[in-house]
Amino acid sequence: MKILTTAEMGAADRRTAEEFHVPLTSLMERAGGAVATFCLQHYASASHITALCGKGNNGGDGFVAARHLAQAGRTVRVLLLGYAADLKGEAAAAFAQLGSIPVIEIDAEATLRKELEQTDLLLDAVVGTGFHPPLRGLAATVGELLDHTDYPIVSVDLPSGWDADSTAQSSEEAYRSDAVVTFTAPKLAHIFGHLTRHTFGPVVVAPIGSPDEAIQSATGLLWGGSAKSIAEAPRDVNANKGRFGHILIVGGSYGKPGAPSMASLAALRAGAGLVTAAVPDSILNVVALVTPELMTTPLKEVDGAVALANLEPVSLDRLLKSIKVIALGPGLSTDGEASVFARELLAKTTLPIVLDADALNAFAGHVDLLDGSKRPIVLTPHPGEMARLLGVSIPEVEADRINIARNFATKHRLTLVLKGWRTLIAHPDGSIGVNTSGNPAMSKGGSGDILTGIVAAMLGQFPNDVARAVETAVYLHGLAADFAAQRMDEHTVLATDTVAHLSDAFRYRVTDASGFTWITGVHA
């Protein structure tokens, strides 16, 4: 699913009307109807509903939603910021269909304050995607007043006051919001924004009739969750373990048996047919205990870290026999010969490979060795590891995440998973998947190892669709953490708890029975 700018969304609406002959009034009718459907499903107990509407098309969507809610038996009233006589175009047409629904024209703060006091649910339809900050007059006052209310708020298209083209995480000016229903495709603010007036809520996208051909974007940004469909198809009844990849997890060092253990367990849980953990002999017995399904092979070591002797031709051939994907780095360390081992293993193999943790650090100062033109290479750095690879500071990475990820991926012809707030999956062709699953519970040791195992497993199962395989792995990892946090608490979730909830993530469908695609949040 493409991520659109304000201009691109406007162009999509115009193309829908002009090239595909879908009237703008029909788009508004479907948009308002979608908002009403969402409210009826997720706020079923709200009997008294207030639609707070502006004078533009966002207000028009609110008028339509109000009408549908009234027809569904709810007690509805409309608060119009301004005068009905000033309405134009599609908004005026939608207003004319309100019938007997009470409308209160708001032209003073005192009236606004009084009317916002009592309701079960508020629809925020003041301004939407076409708005450019700042809010002024009564519209600005609304946000301040809503901060002191406790009823739920459903935002129509966007929380009013939020610039749709913003990639900021929060907006102090935007209205608080408990849920957002937007239309056709997510905009930048829906993907990168999350916190508005200290209230968290889901963002759902409703289709309203624009064909795919009308939706065009030049940003190269895609919502990563849409790739999950490759993992939703049932397996062939005649399937066998050989069809789902043999994954080799290479890593570990003295004192660090947990990292390769977690990566191996995650790879098995994510659907790999076979998983072998190759670790230093001194920790082999510990790693082998993670699950009886895991196979192991010992690596020669020097001072507790993997030795270059493992790359001798006979040893390497034995190590890689029947392997389809390598995951290199969990717990590897940078001691002794480990970093040279990592660089040499990459050079001596042509298998798809996932590089994480100390395998990434091994290439700091040696990024010229990273060339994914002959086989898939996937890097999964956090900002610190990315900064070391580039020889820059972490703040420099964080200040320009999209361009840094895109430039590195295209230059080295590989897939780069830049972890952090809205993890970016940059591909060799310059496109970027933006992941919206996950939560702060993942800020614990081991999360990266789990991701490495899932990425390797998905590559093993979908070797001919690397981009979607990696985007799906990242999305599943975050989604499993979302389920874990729901059932536990963000403070108590461990990295291995996300593995326990991978089955929930696999079963989950991003588009619900009503056609809403859940960009953020998890539907029942």
Side-chain angles (χ1 to χ4, degrees):
M1 181 179 287
K2 296 171 184 174
I3 302 170
L4 304 183
T5 64
T6 297
E8 289 168 344
M9 185 65 245
D13 284 344
R14 288 192 297 275
R15 286 192 203 97
T16 299
E18 296 169 4
E19 299 176 23
F20 297 93
H21 311 295
V22 179
L24 294 177
T25 52
S26 296
L27 296 180
M28 182 173 287
E29 182 67 23
R30 294 168 187 169
V35 172
T37 297
F38 183 87
C39 292
L40 292 170
Q41 289 180 349
H42 299 281
Y43 297 92
S45 63
S47 58
H48 291 75
I49 301 173
T50 299
L52 178 65
C53 300
K55 295 182 292 184
N57 283 348
N58 193 246
D61 296 337
F63 299 148
V64 175
R67 172 164 51 81
H68 281 270
L69 289 166
Q71 291 170 348
R74 303 300 189 269
T75 300
V76 181
R77 60 179 182 148
V78 171
L79 305 183
L80 175 62
L81 292 185
Y83 300 101
D86 295 331
L87 295 171
K88 299 177 181 178
E90 291 78 26
F95 183 84
Q97 297 182 60
L98 286 175
S100 61
I101 296 173
V103 177
I104 302 169
E105 297 175 321
I106 305 293
D107 60 1
E109 180 178 342
T111 306
L112 177 63
R113 186 182 300 272
K114 175 185 175 183
E115 297 299 336
L116 285 177
E117 287 179 355
Q118 296 295 328
T119 192
D120 296 328
L121 174 67
L122 180 80
L123 301 187
D124 163 21
V126 177
V127 290
T129 293
F131 166 78
H132 296 287
L135 289 169
R136 294 183 174 86
L138 283 175
T141 303
V142 170
E144 300 169 5
L145 296 177
L146 291 179
D147 277 349
H148 301 287
T149 61
D150 58 5
Y151 44 73
I153 298 174
V154 173
S155 303
V156 178
D157 194 26
L158 271 170
S160 291
W162 206 318
D163 183 349
D165 287 336
S166 172
T167 57
Q169 181 177 348
S170 62
S171 170
E172 289 302 317
E173 187 176 11
Y175 296 178
R176 73 175 182 86
S177 177
D178 294 279
V180 178
V181 182
T182 191
F183 317 111
T184 304
K187 273 58 79 178
L188 292 168
H190 296 127
I191 297 295
F192 291 98
H194 188 47
L195 177 62
T196 165
R197 301 276 183 163
H198 312 293
T199 303
F200 293 81
V203 176
V204 303
V205 177
I208 58 172
S210 292
D212 290 341
E213 296 84 353
I215 306 168
Q216 300 177 13
S217 176
T219 66
L221 299 178
L222 307 168
W223 177 55
S226 56
K228 183 181 176 291
S229 59
I230 66 170
E232 294 177 354
R235 289 183 164 182
D236 193 305
V237 294
N238 196 36
N240 61 76
K241 62 188 177 185
R243 292 177 57 180
F244 304 117
H246 187 172
I247 312 303
L248 181 68
I249 308 292
V250 183
S253 55
Y254 182 77
K256 296 180 180 178
S261 299
M262 288 185 285
S264 300
L265 179 63
L268 283 165
R269 285 289 187 192
L274 293 167
V275 179
T276 296
V279 298
D281 187 56
S282 61
I283 64 171
L284 185 72
N285 289 340
V286 178
V287 174
L289 291 174
V290 69
T291 181
E293 293 85 355
L294 177 64
M295 297 181 291
T296 58
T297 189
L299 295 178
K300 298 172 185 177
E301 59 188 285
V302 175
D303 296 328
V306 294
L308 282 171
N310 295 291
L311 298 179
E312 294 174 356
V314 174
S315 298
L316 186 59
D317 288 346
R318 185 184 305 117
L319 181 65
L320 300 182
K321 184 179 180 181
S322 80
I323 297 301
K324 300 301 182 184
V325 177
I326 301 171
L328 173 63
L332 186 69
S333 93
T334 55
D335 295 338
E337 300 173 350
S339 292
V340 179
F341 169 88
R343 294 193 291 269
E344 288 293 316
L345 179 58
L346 179 69
K348 290 177 181 294
T349 67
T350 57
L351 290 170
I353 191 166
V354 183
L355 301 178
D356 183 38
D358 283 328
L360 293 170
N361 294 328
F363 287 91
H366 302 275
V367 293
D368 56 303
L369 301 176
L370 297 170
D371 180 3
S373 61
K374 299 297 192 296
R375 44 75 186 274
I377 295 178
V378 181
L379 274 58
T380 61
H382 57 57
E385 291 162 341
M386 192 73 237
R388 284 192 286 276
L389 284 172
L390 293 174
V392 300
S393 68
I394 294 176
E396 287 177 284
V397 171
E398 294 287 53
D400 196 20
R401 287 166 50 82
I402 291 175
N403 286 325
I404 281 176
R406 176 178 279 138
N407 291 340
F408 196 93
T410 55
K411 179 179 180 180
H412 296 279
R413 292 169 287 188
L414 49 73
T415 300
L416 178 75
V417 178
L418 181 55
K419 293 181 280 196
W421 170 252
R422 297 317 189 215
T423 291
L424 305 177
I425 306 96
H427 303 294
D429 65 358
S431 65
I432 295 180
V434 186
N435 185 61
T436 54
S437 65
N439 60 75
M442 302 169 76
S443 302
K444 287 186 178 178
S447 286
D449 305 311
I450 299 297
L451 176 60
T452 296
I454 300 173
V455 171
M458 297 307 290
L459 285 175
Q461 293 168 81
F462 305 101
N464 298 320
D465 199 346
V466 173
R468 291 209 298 167
V470 179
E471 288 182 16
T472 298
V474 176
Y475 184 75
L476 287 170
H477 181 220
L479 188 59
D482 288 337
F483 279 111
Q486 275 188 356
R487 289 159 173 74
M488 301 170 67
D489 180 85
E490 288 183 354
H491 299 84
T492 64
V493 172
L494 300 178
T496 48
D497 292 323
T498 63
V499 178
H501 288 282
L502 272 173
S503 60
D504 295 317
F506 270 93
R507 289 173 178 158
Y508 181 79
R509 298 293 185 266
V510 297
T511 300
D512 66 21
S514 296
F516 296 115
T517 298
W518 288 63
I519 300 297
T520 67
V522 177
H523 62 83

